[in-house]
């Protein structure tokens, strides 16, 4: 792979890919991505004015042949391993933003778990935390 991205861009690629997984990028998902980028310490050094450009770059990559494998390879190469669980947590939050997780989103979460070789208990804890945060009355 000749393209490279920063760790922050890789995290954005994960979120954009999750948002696009069901072929519909909703306002709730896009607002969630924006809020995450503005508020999480991992993005402290990221210029938030670049968010749209980075998301568009990811979208262009997703339109290529073997796009999902390319994005996952790029993310895995660009992120330090200690951020693999962070990437998974961000993907879960974007998937949960609509309060309805589609089958395609569940499949992408499985691909992320496998690609990052994440501990199933860690993933279960991340997913349980999202359920608690996104629960409605």
């Amino acid at each position: 792979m000749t393209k490279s991205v920063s760790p922050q861009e890789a995290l954005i690629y994960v979120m954009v890919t999750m948002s696009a997984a069901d072929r519909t990028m909703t306002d709730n998902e896009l607002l969630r991505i924006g809020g995450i980028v503005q508020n999480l310490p991992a993005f402290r050094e990221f210029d938030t004015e670049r968010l749209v450009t980075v998301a568009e770059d990811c979208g262009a990559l997703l339109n290529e042949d073997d796009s999902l494998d390319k994005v996952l390879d790029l993310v895995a190469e660009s992120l330090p391993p200690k951020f693999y669980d962070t990437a998974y947590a961000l993907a879960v939050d974007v998937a949960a933003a609509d309060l309805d997780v589609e089958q395609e989103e569940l499949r992408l979460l499985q691909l992320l778990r496998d690609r990052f070789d994440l501990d199933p208990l860690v993933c279960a804890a991340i997913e349980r935390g999202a359920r608690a945060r996104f629960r409605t009355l």
Side-chain angles (χ1 to χ4, degrees):
M1 170 133 328
T2 58
K3 183 176 177 70
S4 67
V5 296
S6 72
Q8 291 89 355
E9 290 168 332
L11 292 172
I12 292 168
Y13 274 44
V14 168
M15 293 187 288
V16 169
T17 302
M18 178 54 73
S19 180
D22 61 359
R23 308 246 189 271
T24 306
M25 296 179 79
T26 67
D27 288 342
N28 285 341
E29 291 169 337
L30 297 175
L31 287 170
R32 188 72 175 151
I33 292 169
I36 287 168
V37 170
Q38 288 180 359
N39 293 304
L40 284 189
F43 294 100
R44 195 170 288 141
E45 302 298 319
F46 181 76
D47 177 6
T48 56
E49 297 294 318
R50 294 187 51 246
L51 177 57
V52 171
T53 301
V54 173
E56 288 171 347
D57 291 346
C58 179
L61 185 58
L62 286 170
N63 284 324
E64 295 180 10
D65 292 335
D66 300 322
S67 60
L68 187 54
D69 283 332
K70 287 179 183 178
V71 169
L72 294 178
D73 288 344
L74 180 61
V75 168
E77 292 169 7
S78 301
L79 274 181
K82 72 179 183 177
F83 282 95
Y84 288 171
D85 59 349
T86 301
Y88 187 80
L90 298 182
V92 168
D93 273 10
V94 171
D98 292 329
L99 306 178
D100 181 38
V101 180
E102 299 293 333
Q103 199 62 34
E104 298 88 352
E105 294 168 320
L106 292 172
R107 178 68 182 131
L108 179 55
L109 289 173
Q110 179 64 51
L111 291 171
L112 290 170
R113 286 191 296 268
D114 293 345
R115 182 66 56 108
F116 297 148
D117 194 29
L118 293 172
D119 182 318
L121 292 177
V122 169
C123 293
I126 289 169
E127 293 162 9
R128 182 66 182 96
R131 267 191 234 97
R133 283 191 310 282
F134 288 92
R135 185 172 290 136
T136 59
L137 294 175

